[in-house]
Amino acid sequence: MEAGGRAFSVDLLERNGAKGHGIITCMAAGNDVILIGTSKGWLIRHDFGVGDSYDMDFAGGRGGDQPVHRVFVDPGGSHCIANVLLAGGAETYYTHAKWARPKVLSRLKGLVVNAVAWNRQQITEASTREVILGTENGQIYEIAIDEVDKKEKYVRFLFELTELPEAIMGLQMETATTGNATRYYVMATTPTRMYSFTGIGALDTMFASYSDRAVHFMELPGEIPNRQLHFFIKQRRAKHFAWLSGAGIYHGDLNFGAQHSSSSGDENFVENKGLVSYEKLGETTKPRSLAVSEFHFLLLIGDNVKVFNRISQQIVEDLKFDVVPDSAPIGIIGLCSDATAGLFYAFDDSSVFQVSVQDEGRDMWKVYLDMKEYATALAYCRSQLERDQVYLMQADAAFSAKDYYRAASFYAKVNYALSFEEISLKFISIAEQDALRTYLLRRLDNLTKDDKCQITMISTWIIELYLDKINRLLLEDDSISVDNAASASNNAEYQSVILEFTAFLSDSKDVLDEITTMKLLESYGRIDELVFFAALKEQYDIVIHHYVQQGETKKALEVLQRPNVSVDLQYKFAPDLIMLDAYETVESWMTTDKLNPRKLIPAMMRYASEPHAKNETHEVIKYLEYCVHHLHNEDPGVHNLLLSLYAKQEDDSALLRFLQCKFGKGRVDGPEFFYDPKYALRLCLKEKRMRACVHIYSMMSMHEEAVALALQVDPELAMAEADKVEDDEDLRKKLWLMVAKHVIQHEKGIKRENIRKAIAFLKETDGLLKIEDILPFFPDFALIDDFKEAICSSLEDYNKQIEQLKQEMEDATRGADNIRSDITALAQRYAVVDPDEECGVCKRKILSTGGAHQVGRGYIAVGQATPFYVFPCGHSFHAQCLIAHVTQCTSQIQVQYILDLQKQLNLLGSTAKNTGANTKDESASSTSSVDKLRSQLDDAVASECPFCGELMVKEISKAFISLEESEQMTSWLIKPVPSQKLLPMSI
């Protein structure tokens, strides 16, 4: 590794690792657990996670050397398989982290196990799942063990190398899920070959398939002390592999997401394969052991571990061990790795060393940068300064290759390695304005919102570069000129730059200085872009003024209709717009309800002052009618203007309809019109609109003037005006006399014909005028014979009226007689009461006597019976019960009235009883007063049955429970019983 500290370091972990059980022969590690095998058949386990260790004897007390040949532990540190060499062969043991004694796998007796492959994806603490074992005689077995069962579930033979029988030296397995099935990939190595097995289904099925097809292998012959196969595991998935072969280190990436078919038909998951020859290591001695990290190979050469970067193919570190020569005469024996903890271990015959890794990928960006793999280098960069160096190298390479646009994009990403000014001068010095513009645009993308000043300066510079580019395009082609925009539109590059420029203006509108940008656009003559930018900055007066000058009314109106445009601009440009296109302008006004028509009156008067064709639709009248009839505008100015425009038309029908409209109809105290009637009268007199004047006179209640003017226009109109007066009979008669006088005195014709017209006129007055009323209007020499028929008709009318009055008098007399008869019959009316009839209130018999139901003077008692009321509906009530019921149900005012009557009756009764009547007159007077009060009390309480009349209907709103009964209702509420703590009872 380079500057920044060493990535790999060596520490002595334990000096006497075998603990007196011989010497160390092998070691394995996983999940902070190391397992050490000794020459005397002992297995020593160190669990650094819990700080525990223990020894396990595989020899079983047998004497002599029984060395542990190989020991294997799963990545989780729970399962261990060890192979022990005995005098008569070999035995394989299994032990679990929770076990105190190992379990011998009897079905593997005699087999020397050199390699074990764990199913890392499916293994658990309780079960090994599928485990593959490779033996010295070239056989492959499958085994599965559950910790609970204390024995193997099965041991299954899978495969045997028959073509070239060699010992299995390395074995690795990886699985991948394909749909609902599992795909296995197994890599096995021998001293000269590396075999690959792959298939879907169970392991035995996969290996059985190779009975009728060739096995894919890579052959690398050569001599080496220890041939090893390692996978680098990250997040329980193999990423790449390395094989320590006789010819070199054969390595590659593993991609189990890819499914590339090999020449043999098998799917090959190995990519980027390569062979590192031992000459690159600069050593004459070949490595004795190998370990694999993410980016490096750890090679045990002699007593040193050389760290070889597999990407750069260079040795980056040389690790030395603190070995005592006397204690370790044979030196470092081997290496092993803990993929879960990311640690490496080395061991000699008595000591254990730990090789720690500290951020080995921190300088990998430099490695990839030197290899010009820029994308990968950026992925490993950890600071902006590192990324700057990658971008700078890419930019310099592109700049040297004269790929200036690409260079500009990379230079824009550089923040610290090179200054903004230096990069800009690079492009200015070679006159690459387009590349400079690209650089500035990309530079803007990389700036933050806090760099406001720099963003504004760069954006303004880009504006000028765009304008310069547009001018250069115009100058390069003779067919393109400022005055020939149609030709310019045919130039694809020109149009592309214009689109880019407008898009940039739109994106940068918030950061550009408004005044500076507008001056730039104006100085280059880019009026369209100036208008576009003004619209972006909401300077709509500039935009609309431009469209008005160009005569583009529709575009100006579209701008005015935008929701964020001030309504004041409508009034400002209304005179110009209505003169340019009155139809479009008025249509635009009618689509919005924000306008105040009063402020548009100057523009409308300007338009109305211009001459218009007879058949042309008057747009101002159309808009004013819309305001009056649809918007219900009440402004007198608007109504007066519309009235004046109607008055100037040849046809006065629209004027008359307008005058007859009642605009305030339906509103409380609303006026019938909003125009000025005096102004309307002057205007109509000036324009000689006499019928309109008649209507205005009538509306102003000047009926005599209205009739007088109407007689000059049309007598029929005068008659209609005279008929309008209904509440003043004298005035109405006066108006009709005016009409009659005009008809008699001003009609030309034969005298007898005029008399007949006058007689016919009398019929139209509907009896208001008589013949005697119009006779004074005729000349003195008129003959009475001409009026004979009218006079006779008048006399007949008088006679009919007299007869009608007589008939009405007779009808009134008969009606009075009928009323008197009804009164006499009413006094004789009676009702039959059943002896068992009950009172509707107290439910006692109506004919009960005495007791609490007796009342004072004023009631007519029948024998000893209590006074009562009987209604036509059949309901009966004691007098006192009825009074009590009515007073409970009626209003407080009526209750007070009934109580007052009762007090007066009682007072009169007690007075007469105490003093007695002195005279007959006094007795009669007292009786009369009692009867009067009694009648009033009857009317108050017995005018209708309380159960069948209006009183019962009103009781709907009465509450079921009265205020007096609320306390009684509360007493019936069920209150919760306080909870009691119950103690358990023992029997």
Side-chain angles (χ1 to χ4, degrees):
M1 301 300 291
E2 299 183 10
R6 295 168 62 89
F8 294 85
S9 60
V10 177
D11 297 302
L12 177 63
L13 190 62
E14 189 168 355
R15 177 65 69 182
N16 184 16
K19 296 184 178 181
H21 299 303
I23 63 173
I24 299 176
T25 58
C26 59
M27 192 170 73
N31 196 21
D32 262 350
V33 174
I34 63 171
L35 297 171
I36 301 171
T38 70
S39 60
K40 293 184 179 182
W42 283 80
L43 180 68
I44 302 170
R45 176 186 175 95
H46 294 277
D47 191 339
F48 299 109
V50 297
D52 187 21
S53 66
Y54 61 86
D55 305 340
M56 188 175 293
D57 184 12
F58 287 151
R62 294 186 295 266
D65 289 340
Q66 299 175 13
V68 178
H69 175 59
R70 291 283 189 274
V71 61
F72 309 95
V73 66
D74 76 296
S78 298
H79 308 280
C80 172
I81 295 176
N83 188 255
V84 180
L85 299 179
L86 303 175
E91 284 187 351
T92 303
Y93 293 87
Y94 168 80
T95 183
H96 192 271
K98 298 179 180 179
W99 292 4
R101 297 180 61 185
K103 172 69 177 177
V104 64
L105 303 177
S106 58
R107 297 177 64 180
L108 297 176
K109 185 175 181 62
L111 297 177
V112 178
V113 178
N114 291 333
V116 171
W118 307 94
N119 188 346
R120 289 182 297 273
Q121 280 68 45
Q122 298 181 8
I123 194 170
T124 63
E125 184 180 357
S127 175
T128 62
R129 300 299 295 269
E130 304 94 328
V131 181
I132 303 177
L133 288 73
T135 65
E136 183 72 21
N137 57 5
Q139 294 177 340
I140 300 176
Y141 290 86
E142 178 188 357
I143 187 172
I145 305 173
D146 286 343
E147 184 267 333
V148 178
D149 296 338
K150 304 293 184 180
K151 64 179 181 178
E152 63 272 26
K153 293 174 64 176
Y154 60 83
V155 175
R156 186 179 296 147
F157 172 78
L158 295 178
F159 190 77
E160 183 176 7
L161 299 176
T162 56
E163 180 188 354
L164 180 62
E166 289 183 313
I168 303 294
M169 303 301 296
L171 200 60
Q172 293 289 344
M173 175 173 58
E174 192 71 20
T175 61
T177 302
T178 305
N180 295 326
T182 301
R183 180 179 296 278
Y184 290 91
Y185 177 76
V186 177
M187 186 180 287
T189 60
T190 66
T192 60
R193 289 182 179 182
M194 183 177 73
Y195 295 90
S196 296
F197 304 90
T198 182
I200 298 177
L203 279 171
D204 55 348
T205 305
M206 179 190 74
F207 279 100
S209 66
Y210 283 95
S211 61
D212 56 355
R213 60 171 173 156
V215 181
H216 179 69
F217 66 89
M218 167 67 67
E219 188 169 5
L220 292 174
E223 294 294 333
I224 193 168
N226 187 14
R227 296 174 180 267
Q228 295 178 345
L229 175 65
H230 293 283
F231 278 7
F232 171 72
I233 310 300
K234 188 173 184 179
Q235 295 178 351
R236 302 183 69 177
R237 179 65 67 183
K239 299 298 182 182
H240 54 264
F241 75 95
W243 176 33
L244 189 64
S245 69
I249 303 172
Y250 183 69
H251 64 96
D253 295 331
L254 297 172
N255 184 2
F256 295 98
Q259 297 181 1
H260 308 295
S261 297
S262 65
S263 58
S264 63
D266 292 335
E267 292 179 349
N268 189 8
F269 300 101
V270 179
E271 300 176 344
N272 304 322
K273 294 171 286 188
L275 180 66
V276 179
S277 63
Y278 295 124
E279 285 76 8
K280 287 186 178 181
L281 304 179
E283 296 286 343
T284 57
T285 305
K286 293 183 179 181
R288 285 183 293 159
S289 186
L290 168 71
V292 180
S293 69
E294 186 173 3
F295 301 105
H296 300 86
F297 299 143
L298 280 68
L299 302 170
L300 178 59
I301 302 176
D303 287 338
N304 294 347
V305 173
K306 296 185 180 296
V307 181
F308 182 81
N309 190 303
R310 66 180 181 87
I311 307 299
S312 65
Q313 304 284 295
Q314 299 292 328
I315 295 177
V316 295
E317 287 191 37
D318 190 353
L319 305 178
K320 298 183 181 298
F321 295 90
D322 185 13
V323 179
V324 179
D326 296 336
S327 62
I330 62 175
I332 302 299
I333 298 175
L335 300 172
C336 69
S337 62
D338 183 350
T340 305
L343 297 174
F344 300 92
Y345 298 94
F347 61 96
D348 58 18
D349 57 3
S350 62
S351 302
V352 178
F353 302 88
Q354 178 177 297
V355 181
S356 302
V357 183
Q358 297 289 336
D359 194 13
E360 63 171 320
R362 60 192 173 193
D363 290 330
M364 287 306 298
W365 68 273
K366 292 183 182 179
V367 175
Y368 286 109
L369 183 60
D370 293 339
M371 299 170 62
K372 295 185 179 180
E373 296 184 12
Y374 302 116
T376 310
L378 284 173
Y380 286 100
C381 288
R382 302 182 182 181
S383 66
Q384 184 59 45
L385 187 58
E386 293 175 357
R387 286 188 286 271
D388 275 3
Q389 296 185 40
V390 178
Y391 290 136
L392 183 58
M393 183 172 286
Q394 285 182 279
D396 289 340
F399 194 88
S400 301
K402 295 186 179 181
D403 190 354
Y404 298 117
Y405 288 102
R406 190 163 178 267
S409 298
F410 287 124
Y411 277 130
K413 298 178 182 180
V414 178
N415 292 324
Y416 306 108
L418 203 63
S419 68
F420 172 78
E421 293 79 6
E422 290 174 315
I423 298 173
S424 301
L425 288 173
K426 274 180 171 285
F427 295 107
I428 293 174
S429 62
I430 59 174
E432 278 292 333
Q433 301 294 330
D434 294 340
L436 176 61
R437 187 178 73 250
T438 302
Y439 166 69
L440 295 177
L441 287 169
R442 301 295 181 271
R443 182 69 179 175
L444 273 182
D445 295 337
N446 296 330
L447 292 176
T448 62
K449 294 182 180 180
D450 296 332
D451 304 324
K452 295 182 180 179
C453 182
Q454 191 172 3
I455 290 174
T456 301
M457 296 291 290
I458 293 177
S459 299
T460 306
W461 192 0
I462 292 173
I463 292 289
E464 193 165 5
L465 290 175
Y466 267 119
L467 293 172
D468 179 69
K469 174 67 175 179
I470 293 170
N471 277 353
R472 282 191 285 110
L473 289 174
L474 291 172
L475 294 173
E476 286 173 2
D477 192 346
D478 296 337
S479 65
I480 302 176
S481 64
V482 177
D483 298 330
N484 190 5
S487 300
S489 62
N490 297 325
N491 187 289
E493 184 180 3
Y494 176 84
Q495 291 299 321
S496 176
V497 173
I498 291 295
L499 289 175
E500 287 182 19
F501 183 38
T502 53
F504 177 76
L505 287 174
S506 179
D507 294 339
S508 307
K509 61 182 178 66
D510 296 328
V511 299
L512 288 169
D513 182 72
E514 183 177 328
I515 298 175
T516 304
T517 304
M518 286 188 175
K519 286 182 178 179
L520 273 175
L521 294 170
E522 186 178 3
S523 64
Y524 277 85
R526 305 305 304 177
I527 303 302
D528 291 340
E529 287 76 16
L530 175 61
V531 172
F532 177 76
F533 183 72
L536 292 175
K537 300 299 289 185
E538 298 185 357
Q539 295 289 344
Y540 297 112
D541 52 345
I542 298 175
V543 179
I544 299 170
H545 181 71
H546 168 73
Y547 287 141
V548 169
Q549 285 187 331
Q550 298 296 320
E552 298 179 349
T553 309
K554 288 186 178 181
K555 291 185 178 180
L557 291 172
E558 288 175 0
V559 175
L560 287 171
Q561 288 177 346
R562 295 179 184 176
N564 55 341
V565 177
S566 174
V567 71
D568 293 335
L569 294 180
Q570 291 271 14
Y571 309 132
K572 178 180 179 180
F573 291 98
D576 296 328
L577 290 173
I578 198 170
M579 296 305 296
L580 285 174
D581 192 335
Y583 173 79
E584 292 293 342
T585 302
V586 169
E587 289 295 324
S588 174
W589 290 351
M590 292 169 63
T591 57
T592 178
D593 55 356
K594 297 188 299 182
L595 296 177
N596 183 359
R598 184 180 184 85
K599 295 184 178 180
L600 296 173
I601 288 178
M604 292 187 286
M605 292 185 68
R606 178 182 176 184
Y607 172 80
S609 64
E610 298 292 328
H612 300 281
K614 291 184 179 180
N615 296 328
E616 180 183 357
T617 301
H618 203 295
E619 298 299 331
V620 171
I621 292 179
K622 181 174 73 174
Y623 176 67
L624 291 173
E625 287 176 344
Y626 172 78
C627 295
V628 169
H629 298 295
H630 291 82
L631 301 182
H632 306 291
N633 186 277
E634 301 178 1
D635 193 316
V638 174
H639 286 255
N640 288 338
L641 178 59
L642 180 57
L643 183 69
S644 66
L645 295 177
Y646 278 144
K648 293 178 182 179
Q649 291 183 330
E650 293 183 2
D651 186 4
D652 63 352
S653 59
L655 174 62
L656 291 174
R657 285 196 302 271
F658 177 77
L659 292 173
Q660 292 169 3
C661 284
K662 295 183 179 181
F663 299 102
K665 184 179 180 181
R667 298 188 312 160
V668 179
D669 298 329
E672 294 185 356
F673 53 87
F674 297 104
Y675 53 84
D676 185 357
K678 296 180 180 178
Y679 167 76
L681 183 61
R682 288 196 304 270
L683 185 65
C684 292
L685 289 173
K686 178 183 176 182
E687 300 293 337
K688 306 216 182 300
R689 306 298 182 198
M690 296 306 173
R691 287 182 177 274
C693 293
V694 171
H695 180 80
I696 296 172
Y697 275 131
S698 175
M699 185 178 58
M700 297 172 65
S701 299
M702 299 174 66
H703 300 288
E704 295 184 28
E705 290 80 355
V707 172
L709 185 59
L711 289 173
Q712 300 177 13
V713 179
D714 185 2
E716 294 292 336
L717 179 61
M719 293 179 189
E721 289 298 324
D723 245 352
K724 290 181 180 180
V725 181
E726 297 178 355
D727 53 350
D728 191 344
E729 193 70 20
D730 294 337
L731 177 59
R732 184 164 177 262
K733 186 173 183 179
K734 182 178 181 181
L735 296 178
W736 274 107
L737 287 174
M738 291 174 61
V739 177
K741 183 177 179 180
H742 177 83
V743 171
I744 294 171
Q745 295 181 354
H746 294 80
E747 287 290 340
K748 297 179 180 180
I750 303 172
K751 292 181 180 179
R752 288 185 178 274
E753 184 67 27
N754 289 342
I755 292 173
R756 283 196 293 271
K757 288 182 179 181
I759 300 303
F761 177 76
L762 288 178
K763 296 180 181 180
E764 293 182 8
T765 62
D766 196 17
L768 180 64
L769 298 182
K770 305 296 182 183
I771 187 63
E772 58 268 25
D773 296 326
I774 65 173
L775 285 176
F777 300 142
F778 288 96
D780 296 337
F781 50 81
L783 297 177
I784 191 66
D785 291 342
D786 297 328
F787 300 99
K788 179 179 179 181
E789 184 178 351
I791 293 171
C792 292
S793 177
S794 178
L795 292 175
E796 289 177 358
D797 290 340
Y798 284 131
N799 187 39
K800 289 180 180 179
Q801 293 177 9
I802 292 171
E803 292 295 332
Q804 185 176 359
L805 289 174
K806 287 182 178 180
Q807 184 65 34
E808 290 176 357
M809 290 174 65
E810 291 177 359
D811 293 340
T813 302
R814 284 194 297 271
D817 293 339
N818 291 334
I819 291 172
R820 282 191 290 270
S821 300
D822 291 341
I823 293 172
T824 303
L826 185 61
Q828 304 297 323
R829 189 175 59 174
Y830 64 91
V832 178
V833 179
D834 189 68
D836 296 330
E837 183 71 26
E838 294 180 349
C839 174
V841 176
C842 69
K843 303 303 179 182
R844 295 177 136 199
K845 293 183 179 180
I846 284 293
L847 299 179
S848 61
T849 60
H853 296 284
Q854 292 183 0
V855 294
R857 186 178 176 215
Y859 292 100
I860 301 174
V862 181
Q864 298 296 323
T866 303
F868 59 88
Y869 289 92
V870 179
F871 291 93
C873 60
H875 290 116
S876 302
F877 303 91
H878 290 120
Q880 197 63 22
C881 293
L882 179 63
I883 294 173
H885 179 73
V886 171
T887 53
Q888 288 179 359
C889 300
T890 190
S891 63
Q892 188 63 31
I893 297 175
Q894 186 70 6
V895 170
Q896 189 62 39
Y897 174 67
I898 293 171
L899 294 177
D900 290 342
L901 291 176
Q902 283 187 298
K903 289 179 181 180
Q904 294 178 34
L905 282 171
N906 293 333
L907 182 61
L908 288 175
S910 57
T911 302
K913 182 178 180 181
N914 295 332
T915 59
N918 296 327
T919 63
K920 185 177 181 180
D921 293 337
E922 290 178 358
S923 177
S925 175
S926 176
T927 303
S928 175
S929 298
V930 170
D931 291 341
K932 182 178 180 182
L933 291 173
R934 176 70 178 82
S935 176
Q936 292 177 359
L937 183 60
D938 288 343
D939 291 339
V941 300
S943 59
E944 60 179 357
C945 176
F947 287 176
C948 302
E950 184 180 357
L951 193 63
M952 178 57 73
V953 176
K954 290 182 179 180
E955 284 193 3
I956 294 176
S957 60
K958 182 180 179 182
F960 287 109
I961 300 173
S962 62
L963 294 176
E964 293 78 5
E965 297 172 331
S966 59
E967 293 184 1
Q968 185 178 0
M969 178 190 70
T970 306
S971 67
W972 280 88
L973 292 177
I974 300 175
K975 299 180 180 179
V977 179
S979 59
Q980 297 180 356
K981 185 175 182 182
L982 300 178
L983 298 177
M985 297 179 63
S986 59
I987 300 175

